Amino acid sequence: MADLSDPNIDEAYQDVRSDKSDTNWLLLDYISDRSDKLQVTQTGTGGLAELREVLDDTKASYAYARVTYSNDKESTREKFILVVTILLPCPNCKIMRKAKISVQAADVKKVLRVYSIEVAAEVKDDLKEDPIVVKLRKVCRIISLARTYNSHDFLKFVVAINQAGGASYDGV
């Protein structure tokens, strides 16, 4: 089990989610190679571009980010993404860390619980904004369509959301 007991994690999570804060991402890293305890190592205001630059290819990490995009000239949307990253080739990542990260992601999702899509980043380019916004638009569109149908049909839309790259229905 991942240890997310550090109160700074929830504080940073709430800060990223807050409309009153410019902070739009946080990065969680394990405190050591052998530990399952996570800590906030960085937060930032520079969006996915800044987050991409601070990722370390010697560590397995988790990130949470607010992505702002527009569908037209008059409106903007803010959605949240969860990032699970082991940048390849990750020469210093132990085999057990690589194996544990996917299992421990479930623990991270209990704390960083509201997001529209999950991004598995193996290279820094997996965090380019344009492809992520395309996925967010697909998920939002599917959920919007689902709201017009009954609950039986909603299950079909949940499958479609997962196929489009969505991971967590958050009432988008």
Side-chain angles (χ1 to χ4, degrees):
M1 255 182 101
D3 179 353
L4 291 112
S5 61
D6 182 349
N8 292 329
I9 294 173
D10 187 59
E11 183 179 314
Y13 171 70
Q14 296 303 332
D15 195 31
V16 170
R17 291 198 52 79
S18 174
D19 293 337
K20 297 176 182 171
S21 172
D22 290 334
T23 303
N24 55 23
W25 61 267
L26 67 86
L27 182 65
L28 301 179
D29 287 308
Y30 293 94
I31 61 170
S32 72
D33 287 342
R34 297 195 180 268
S35 176
D36 290 333
K37 186 171 180 67
L38 287 161
Q39 65 182 353
V40 176
T41 50
Q42 291 188 48
T43 61
T45 60
L48 293 177
E50 182 181 53
L51 175 59
R52 253 192 344 264
E53 294 308 312
V54 301
L55 288 178
D56 185 343
D57 67 357
T58 65
K59 297 179 181 178
S61 303
Y62 302 92
Y64 186 76
R66 179 181 348 140
V67 179
T68 304
Y69 63 95
S70 62
N71 288 328
D72 55 45
K73 293 177 185 174
E74 288 82 35
S75 65
T76 60
R77 288 181 178 234
E78 288 188 340
K79 299 296 174 191
F80 299 90
I81 65 169
L82 175 69
V83 180
V84 179
T85 180
I86 300 178
L87 296 179
L88 299 178
C90 201
N92 295 340
C93 290
K94 307 288 186 219
I95 291 173
M96 283 306 294
R97 174 64 70 215
K98 289 179 183 179
K100 283 182 173 183
I101 196 164
S102 63
V103 174
Q104 293 181 342
D107 299 324
V108 173
K109 291 174 186 178
K110 290 176 185 173
V111 175
L112 308 179
R113 59 196 166 276
V114 180
Y115 56 93
S116 296
I117 63 171
E118 179 179 339
V119 177
E122 294 181 345
V123 294
K124 288 186 178 190
D125 282 352
D126 288 339
L127 289 178
K128 285 193 172 180
E129 192 159 336
D130 288 343
I132 289 173
V133 168
V134 167
K135 284 184 180 181
L136 287 168
R137 284 187 174 125
K138 284 181 184 178
V139 169
C140 291
R141 185 175 212 186
I142 290 167
I143 291 171
S144 178
L145 289 170
R147 288 182 175 154
T148 65
Y149 293 92
N150 64 35
S151 60
H152 175 70
D153 289 334
F154 184 73
L155 294 177
K156 293 177 187 175
F157 285 107
V158 170
V159 170
I161 289 168
N162 288 330
Q163 291 172 345
S168 171
Y169 174 69
D170 67 354
V172 180

